[in-house]
Amino acid sequence: MRYLPRSLGGQLVLLMLGGFVLGHLFGTLGLWQRSGVLHPIARDHALSRTVTAYRLAHRQPTGDDAWLAAFNNNVAQLWIDHRPSAVGATEREQTLAADLRQRLPDATVAVRMPCRDDNATRLLDPAVDQTGTGLECVEINLALGDGRWLHTRQALPVQSLWRESWQLLRFSLLVGIPPVLILLYVFVNRILRPTTALTDAAERMSRGERIDPLSLQGPDEIREIARAFNDMHERTTRFVDERTRMLAAISHDLRTPLTALELQTAMLPDSEQRSELLRTLEEVRQMVNETLRFATHNARSEDSAAVELGALLDDICQRHRSMGHAVALDAPQPVHYRCRPLALRRALDNLIVNALRHGQHVSVALRDQGSDGVCIDIADDGPGIAEEMLERVFEPFFQLDEARHRESGSSVGLGLAIARDCVQAHGGHLVLRNRAEGGLQARILLPSSHERPLG
């Protein structure tokens, strides 16, 4: 099965052409089984010659056989004597005798194939009855009455139906395949056009893009799949939108009581408890603001565009280098990818900031893995994370160290959650692992994109 084409179109073409060729081959095999029959034209001519001679023999005087010389040549020998002949028993012999009796209902007929080896047979073409020559001797004997018999030896060509059908097969393949290919192109294109659109829509949906409903076209089965896909996309989009609106509404409604609490706390006398309350309220406000920003500006709300990932990463790394951080980039070749540039930039920036917070040096590597997608590794030389915490750090508002330096976008523990949400919105995966040489590595695996450089 590994030699079969992997595409649906290729398999359909192979199926149709294979059926076309096999049908002709089976037809050729059936004709081969019927090989060895006498050529119909020559057979009819031999019967007519025999009937003519039989009728002339009844009109000629007894003993005058000179007129038979007009029938004799290297493919036919006729004579009259008193020697009877036994009737043949094979199916071919009986069939030929039955055809002759239809023309001469009152005649006694004896047919033999091949002929007996006698002087008359030897006068025929030497190629008669030799293998591969296509000639066979047919002996037809008719009783004339008064003990006389009309004997005939005739060399008839044997029809090689399988050889003729093989020649016909070659001709029909040359003439018949182009129309079949044209019909296949129309038929396969009718099937593949909606399936290609479905594949493209599924890929875009996996990246979280907003897509228009698929048009229902093609065979009934493809239409049903497209209809089911449209229903699934509508339900999924409605669920995500409702969740986003609910989260945004909750975050927005929390601002009013937070403002009231901050005003009431600010009116309290200066004390350590007052300062701690204000600090706690500020943290809650940051959580609310980040949650609202996360809900209203998530990765799925941005339109996708084709970018060069190496240039995008270089721009992010250059900005951190300008702030005095050691960030190295390894992007040996351009990687063109269709994504949401702002959302992906934010996710990458969050991961680099997280790496710089834990280590002194950060390395970023970009690799194009072809059909397997794109891989981005962000590694630091910090202390790493306990294995049981590698997944928990992606939980919103989770922090390993409350005393760490806080920066915008990550001070409340949403940095990694936002990064993973963005990557998953692109249909990818974000995983963390501790490096054997020390430090932590964040690996982003993005699915293959149709956007490839031209040339």
Side-chain angles (χ1 to χ4, degrees):
M1 292 296 180
R2 60 181 179 179
Y3 297 107
L4 288 176
R6 299 184 62 180
S7 66
L8 175 60
Q11 292 185 12
L12 286 175
V13 170
L14 181 62
L15 176 64
M16 295 295 290
L17 289 181
F20 181 76
V21 173
L22 284 177
H24 280 71
L25 289 178
F26 282 129
T28 301
L29 180 61
L31 292 175
W32 176 79
Q33 293 177 344
R34 296 181 55 196
S35 61
V37 300
L38 300 176
H39 195 283
I41 298 178
R43 180 176 181 272
D44 187 68
H45 184 65
L47 292 179
S48 298
R49 179 191 292 118
T50 304
V51 170
T52 301
Y54 176 80
R55 289 173 176 169
L56 288 175
H58 280 86
R59 297 176 183 177
Q60 298 298 324
T62 302
D64 182 10
D65 300 335
W67 57 274
L68 289 173
F71 289 91
N72 294 336
N73 51 45
N74 64 333
V75 295
Q77 292 291 320
L78 286 77
W79 74 97
I80 296 175
D81 62 19
H82 289 78
R83 181 183 177 185
S85 178
V87 178
T90 66
E91 181 180 356
R92 290 198 308 162
E93 294 169 335
Q94 292 179 358
T95 300
L96 186 59
D99 290 346
L100 191 56
R101 290 192 188 96
Q102 290 182 354
R103 303 190 183 194
L104 302 172
D106 299 329
T108 301
V109 181
V111 176
R112 296 172 63 99
M113 286 190 293
C115 305
R116 290 173 289 185
D117 186 10
D118 53 19
N119 292 332
T121 303
R122 298 188 194 102
L123 294 176
L124 299 178
D125 191 316
V128 172
D129 293 333
Q130 293 183 9
T131 304
T133 59
L135 290 176
E136 184 174 2
C137 182
V138 178
E139 177 181 341
I140 302 176
N141 305 302
L142 297 170
L144 297 176
D146 300 331
R148 294 186 307 153
W149 284 78
L150 172 64
H151 302 280
T152 70
R153 303 285 192 277
Q154 301 182 67
L156 301 182
V158 178
Q159 190 174 29
S160 182
L161 295 179
W162 70 270
R163 186 179 297 110
E164 294 176 4
S165 63
W166 176 249
Q167 295 175 352
L168 180 61
L169 171 63
R170 291 186 297 176
F171 175 77
S172 63
L173 288 179
L174 293 176
V175 176
I177 285 181
V180 171
L181 289 178
I182 294 175
L183 293 176
L184 278 176
Y185 173 79
V186 176
F187 178 74
V188 172
N189 190 52
R190 184 172 181 267
I191 293 179
L192 294 186
R193 188 187 300 114
T195 57
T196 301
L198 178 61
T199 301
D200 181 67
E203 181 183 0
R204 292 172 58 196
M205 181 181 173
S206 70
R207 297 197 298 262
E209 293 188 33
R210 302 282 180 168
I211 59 176
D212 297 327
L214 293 174
S215 60
L216 304 181
Q217 56 181 341
D220 290 341
E221 292 78 6
I222 302 298
R223 290 171 180 263
E224 290 299 321
I225 294 175
R227 184 179 292 108
F229 178 86
N230 288 337
D231 293 341
M232 177 190 67
H233 178 256
E234 181 185 359
R235 288 192 294 268
T236 302
T237 302
R238 185 170 59 247
F239 171 77
V240 173
D241 290 343
E242 290 175 354
R243 186 203 67 171
T244 302
R245 284 195 297 269
M246 181 182 65
L247 187 59
I250 293 174
S251 301
H252 183 272
D253 292 344
L254 285 175
R255 285 182 170 183
T256 299
L258 277 176
T259 301
L261 286 173
E262 287 177 341
L263 289 175
Q264 294 176 13
T265 304
M267 296 174 64
L268 296 174
D270 289 338
S271 64
E272 182 178 350
Q273 289 82 2
R274 175 179 176 274
S275 299
E276 184 63 28
L277 282 173
L278 288 174
R279 195 161 42 246
T280 301
L281 289 173
E282 178 61 24
E283 290 181 5
V284 174
R285 177 174 291 279
Q286 288 185 13
M287 290 182 183
V288 172
N289 290 338
E290 283 301 315
T291 302
L292 183 60
R293 182 184 177 189
F294 176 64
T296 57
H297 298 88
N298 61 72
R300 293 171 176 81
S301 62
E302 181 187 354
D303 292 333
S304 62
V307 300
E308 204 282 287
L309 291 181
L312 179 66
L313 283 170
D314 183 64
D315 184 60
I316 298 174
C317 294
Q318 287 286 4
R319 185 171 64 82
H320 286 286
R321 292 193 199 103
S322 65
M323 294 186 292
H325 300 300
V327 181
L329 174 63
D330 178 19
Q333 62 182 7
V335 178
H336 295 262
Y337 195 79
R338 189 170 189 85
C339 63
R340 300 175 186 82
L342 295 179
L344 188 59
R345 175 187 288 271
R346 185 182 183 194
L348 294 170
D349 188 68
N350 285 352
L351 292 173
I352 293 177
V353 168
N354 185 74
L356 288 171
R357 186 180 299 116
H358 293 80
Q360 298 297 320
H361 299 86
V362 174
S363 61
V364 182
L366 172 65
R367 295 290 182 273
D368 186 355
Q369 302 181 129
S371 60
D372 293 331
V374 176
C375 177
I376 303 175
D377 288 330
I378 300 174
D380 62 58
D381 57 354
I385 300 177
E387 293 293 330
E388 63 272 13
M389 294 294 179
L390 290 177
E391 279 297 319
R392 288 203 61 193
V393 294
F394 289 109
E395 298 176 5
F397 310 116
F398 179 83
Q399 295 185 14
L400 287 172
D401 187 355
E402 298 289 344
R404 285 199 177 114
H405 298 290
R406 295 170 179 174
E407 300 182 26
S408 176
S410 61
S411 60
V412 296
L414 278 175
L416 290 177
I418 291 173
R420 171 171 274 189
D421 179 78
C422 169
V423 173
Q424 290 178 342
H426 284 80
H429 303 280
L430 171 60
V431 294
L432 299 178
R433 73 175 184 89
N434 290 305
R435 304 167 64 201
E437 59 272 27
L440 188 71
Q441 181 190 69
R443 169 163 290 183
I444 297 175
L445 296 173
L446 297 173
S448 177
S449 171
H450 291 309
E451 291 294 333
R452 295 294 180 192
L454 299 177

